[in-house]
C-alpha cells in the first residue's frame, strides 16, 4: 500500500517536472550570450540556462559591450517556453533594439529545427514594427528547448 502510494506520487512528480533549456552557439568569436527575465540575468559565463518550470517573457542577446541590460541597441531574442500552451520565440529589432549581430533560433526536444534566422538589419525574419507577427515561431510541444545561434 505504501509502495503503491509512493509510486503514484513519483509518477505525478515526473509529469509535473516541466523543464526548458536555452542554449547558445556563439560563432562570433566575441561577446557573451546572456539570458534575462524580470531584469535579472539568469545564466553565467555565456552558458546555457535551464528553467525548472515555465519560462515566460525571457529575453536573450549577445552582450558585446554595447548593449543595454535589456538588450537596447542590440539584436534581441524574445521567448516564452511553456507546457500546456503555446511557446513562442522571435527576433526583435524594434527600437530601442537594433541589429547588432546575426541571430538565429531553433526549437529542440519538440518542433525540432523550427525557427528563423535574421542575418541583416532589414531581414524579413524579425520584428521591425509591433505587428510583424510573422516573425514569431510557435510550438505547442511540452518541455521544448531553444538553441540560439549568433553569427
Ligand atoms: C544606445 O545607443 C545610443 C547611441 O549610441 C546611446 O546614446 C544610448 O545610450 C545607448 N543605449 C544604451 C542603453 O546603451
Amino acid at each position: 500500500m505504501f509502495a503503491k502510494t509512493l509510486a503514484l506520487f513519483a509518477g505525478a512528480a515526473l509529469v509535473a517536472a516541466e523543464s526548458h533549456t536555452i542554449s547558445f552557439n556563439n560563432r562570433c568569436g566575441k561577446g557573451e550570450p546572456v539570458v534575462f527575465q524580470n531584469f535579472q540575468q539568469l545564466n553565467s559565463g555565456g552558458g546555457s540556462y535551464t528553467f525548472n518550470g515555465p519560462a515566460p517573457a525571457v529575453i536573450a542577446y549577445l552582450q558585446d559591450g554595447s548593449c543595454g541590460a535589456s538588450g537596447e541597441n542590440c539584436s534581441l531574442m524574445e521567448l516564452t517556453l511553456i507546457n500546456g500552451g503555446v511557446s513562442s520565440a522571435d527576433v526583435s529589432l524594434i527600437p530601442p533594439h537594433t541589429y547588432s549581430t546575426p541571430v538565429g533560433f531553433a526549437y529542440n526536444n519538440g518542433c525540432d529545427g523550427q525557427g528563423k534566422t535574421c542575418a541583416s538589419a532589414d531581414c524579413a525574419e524579425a520584428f521591425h514594427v509591433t505587428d510583424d507577427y510573422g516573425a514569431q515561431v510557435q510550438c505547442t510541444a511540452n518541455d521544448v528547448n531553444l538553441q540560439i545561434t549568433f553569427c
Side-chain angles (χ1 to χ4, degrees):
M1 176 64 180
F2 179 69
K4 191 177 176 185
T5 306
L6 206 65
L8 280 173
F9 184 74
L14 209 62
V15 168
E18 179 173 354
S19 161
H20 306 279
T21 297
I22 298 170
S23 61
F24 296 102
N25 181 8
N26 178 12
R27 305 188 295 199
C28 299
K30 61 176 177 132
E32 177 183 322
V34 294
V35 178
F36 273 77
Q37 188 184 42
N38 295 327
F39 305 101
Q40 302 235 307
Q41 185 173 348
L42 301 178
N43 68 332
S44 61
S48 61
Y49 185 81
T50 297
F51 292 83
N52 295 308
V58 176
I59 61 168
Y61 57 92
L62 185 68
Q63 178 55 272
D64 61 6
S66 68
C67 320
S70 297
E72 299 94 330
N73 292 337
C74 287
S75 305
L76 186 76
M77 275 295 316
E78 306 177 298
L79 58 114
T80 286
L81 306 178
I82 48 170
N83 288 1
V86 181
S87 293
S88 184
D90 60 77
V91 176
S92 176
L93 301 177
I94 297 175
H97 307 292
T98 187
Y99 182 80
S100 59
T101 184
V103 55
F105 64 91
Y107 289 103
N108 63 75
N109 196 42
C111 304
D112 289 11
Q114 291 183 34
K116 285 184 188 292
T117 296
C118 174
S120 66
D122 60 355
C123 76
E125 293 84 1
F127 273 93
H128 297 270
V129 293
T130 50
D131 60 356
D132 285 338
Y133 295 113
Q136 293 177 326
V137 180
Q138 300 183 330
C139 179
T140 56
N142 283 348
D143 297 323
V144 283
N145 304 323
L146 199 75
Q147 181 169 55
I148 300 170
T149 300
F150 298 108
C151 296

